[in-house]
């Protein structure tokens, strides 16, 4: 079956809800996504990218509604919780511990997961309409460059997904921030981190 190209968020959400894999815009570059709760689809993304499964994948949602029961919030202290609440929604990923029962290819070897509550409309609407958090990883073969230009995506990606959402990316000029809640370490500082931090401090 050939890949569907569409600007319909509703159609993209339907594919996600039915267990499919899509290319969709993110805040900065195009990414590959599926429901985090569909293990076969998550493993399919890893295979499409030729990515190591040990690295895990970022999990994106419009809220923590569907994901909260899998997070080990007992290991997230008040300082980290306040930082997440102040930074979200936004282009900021927090590495958080997950419960032992959450066996998933998106989870890292140390049993943590990178989670982002996004304000980017396509992400938020896909998650809300599909009623699931989604994984997000750049739409490139592992080791190659990510892109915000739809025409530049490697055909080895677009030929192997079910749908490509052709809406534009969000215009973010650099990678999103990543903060480890267990070590209180800013692993990567992205745009808007300092500005948001000043507002919540």
């Amino acid at each position: 079956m050939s890949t569907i190209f569409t600007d319909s968020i509703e159609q993209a959400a339907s594919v996600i809800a039915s267990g499919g894999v899509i290319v969709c815009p993110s805040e900065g570059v195009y990414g590959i996504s599926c429901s985090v709760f569909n293990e076969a689809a998550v493993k399919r993304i890893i295979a499409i990218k030729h990515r190591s499964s040990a690295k895990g994948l970022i999990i994106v949602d419009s809220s923590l509604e569907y994901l909260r029961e899998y997070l080990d919030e007992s290991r997230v202290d008040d300082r980290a919780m306040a930082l997440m609440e102040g930074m979200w929604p936004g282009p900021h990923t927090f590495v958080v511990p997950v419960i032992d029962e959450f066996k998933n290819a998106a989870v890292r070897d140390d049993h943590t997961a990178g989670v982002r509550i996004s304000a980017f409309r396509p992400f938020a609407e896909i998650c809300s309409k599909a009623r699931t958090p989604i994984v997000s990883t750049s739409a490139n073969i592992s080791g190659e460059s990510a892109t915000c230009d739809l025409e530049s995506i490697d055909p080895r990606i677009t030929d192997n997904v079910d749908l490509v959402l052709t809406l534009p990316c969000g215009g973010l000029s650099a990678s999103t921030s990543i903060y480890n809640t267990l070590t209180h370490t800013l692993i990567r500082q992205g745009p808007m981190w300092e500005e948001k931090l000043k507002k919540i401090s």
Side-chain angles (χ1 to χ4, degrees), residues 94 123 200:
F94 286 84
F123 268 162
I200 64 175

Side-chain angles (χ1 to χ4, degrees), residues 44-121:
R44 184 178 158 199
I45 287 177
I46 292 169
I48 289 171
K49 280 181 62 77
H50 302 285
R51 179 184 171 95
S52 167
S53 59
K55 294 180 178 180
L57 299 169
I58 291 174
I59 302 170
V60 177
D61 206 348
S62 55
S63 74
L64 287 178
E65 178 182 359
Y66 302 110
L67 194 62
R68 188 177 293 276
E69 66 180 289
Y70 301 99
L71 304 181
D72 188 355
E73 294 188 65
S74 67
R75 296 172 59 202
V76 180
D77 63 24
D78 291 344
R79 175 184 166 196
M81 194 65 71
L83 189 58
M84 287 190 288
E85 290 173 354
M87 288 291 187
W88 282 341
H92 312 296
T93 298
F94 286 84
V95 177
V96 295
V98 298
I99 60 174
D100 291 341
E101 294 78 10
F102 189 40
K103 310 293 185 184
N104 190 286
V107 174
R108 304 176 187 199
D109 276 356
D110 63 357
H111 223 62
T112 62
V115 176
R116 183 161 79 247
I117 303 303
S118 180
F120 184 54
R121 185 180 70 87

Side-chain angles (χ1 to χ4, degrees), residues 139-196:
N140 57 289
I141 302 299
S142 187
E144 298 184 1
S145 299
T147 182
C148 61
D149 175 17
L150 191 62
E151 301 297 323
S152 297
I153 300 175
D154 193 315
R156 290 176 291 174
I157 301 292
T158 54
D159 290 350
N160 286 290
V161 300
D162 303 301
L163 179 145
V164 174
L165 184 62
T166 58
L167 296 174
C169 294
L172 201 67
S173 59
S175 299
T176 57
S177 301
I178 300 177
Y179 185 93
N180 190 316
T181 62
L182 296 177
T183 62
H184 289 287
T185 303
L186 184 59
I187 299 169
R188 183 176 72 200
Q189 181 174 319
M192 300 167 57
W193 178 269
E194 285 294 337
E195 296 91 328
K196 198 78 173 280

